[in-house]
Amino acid sequence: MMTSEPSHKKNKASQKPFGFKNVDTHDKLELVKGVFSRVAKSYDFMNDVMSFGMHRHWKNELIQMLRPRGGMHLLDMAGGTGDIALRFLKSTESFAEKSKVTVCDYNQDMLDEGRRKALNKGIITGIDWVQIDAADLSKFSNDTFDAYTISFGLRNVTEIEKALTEAYRVLKPGGQFFCMEFSKVTSEPLEKLYNFYSFKMIPKMGEVIAKDKEAYDYLVESISRFPNQEVLAAMIKKAGFQSVTWCDLNKGIVAIHSAIKL
Ligand SMILES: C[S@@+](CC[C@H](N)C(=O)[O-])C[C@H]1O[C@@H](n2cnc3c(N)ncnc32)[C@H](O)[C@@H]1O
């Protein structure tokens, strides 16, 4: 006779962190979608305010590490309002061979903001906007892209392991993978200050400026539950990548992991 697993056990196995709560996989997808739909319009402004403009420097660092070149096709996953994609296109302008970027995001409201921003900058070619879940890139063939970036996105993805395996599949051999994410602060005094700022100030700022304390509670909680540098590196390796390494920015407030598909 077949015995089935008790339902409470099944539920536990399929649960995913959402802030400090655990929720079902499907519920997490919808909750995260809700958070970003609510903040889409104020997203860019809030990034500047909350990071004191530092996110611009972090994003420039990522582009430098990517070493953009002519003819490159980048997949920018969880690309949201297009900050990485637009920087990438700007940095490849001088090459004779045109480069292109496919911006993927699960949330149409974030993509719409990105498309609007690109149009305002006069950018209409070399960029595609695709609504898709990072964990299912079946729309793209194997070995399609020269590089894959995911900036402040992986922490929000429901099925991180699947997303990493899909990133590996759609990259060409020799393709580069970059993940920029909030990480484990490596200096104790800074960590104390950072925790105070994150847990006490950011939700307040979210409440006052974006009128959405919950969304910013989620931001802070999701950061504190995200794997540290070593654990994330092991997950990237497990997805098949080689030469996995990372560099800490501002003592680990942010880390950029990089890897290669051989
Ligand atoms: C914090 S924003 C980052 C946006 C942009 N990459 C940046 O650096 O400013 C996180 C983005 O991840 C997207 N996202 C969350 N879960 C996703 C998933 N499963 N698949 C694709 N995108 C997802 C959200 O919609 C949101 O646009």
Side-chain angles (χ1 to χ4, degrees), residues 49-67:
V49 174
M50 288 180 317
S51 73
F52 306 104
M54 285 301 287
H55 77 107
R56 292 169 183 262
H57 157 72
W58 297 330
K59 286 168 182 167
N60 291 341
E61 283 286 325
L62 174 61
I63 296 295
Q64 272 203 10
M65 285 176 71
L66 176 62
R67 282 193 277 120

Side-chain angles (χ1 to χ4, degrees), residues 32 36 43 59 78-80 105-107 110 132-134 151-152 156:
V32 171
F36 285 102
Y43 178 79
K59 286 168 182 167
D105 200 289
Y106 181 61
N107 187 301
M110 291 290 280
I132 205 167
D133 181 353
S151 151
F152 303 114
N156 301 291

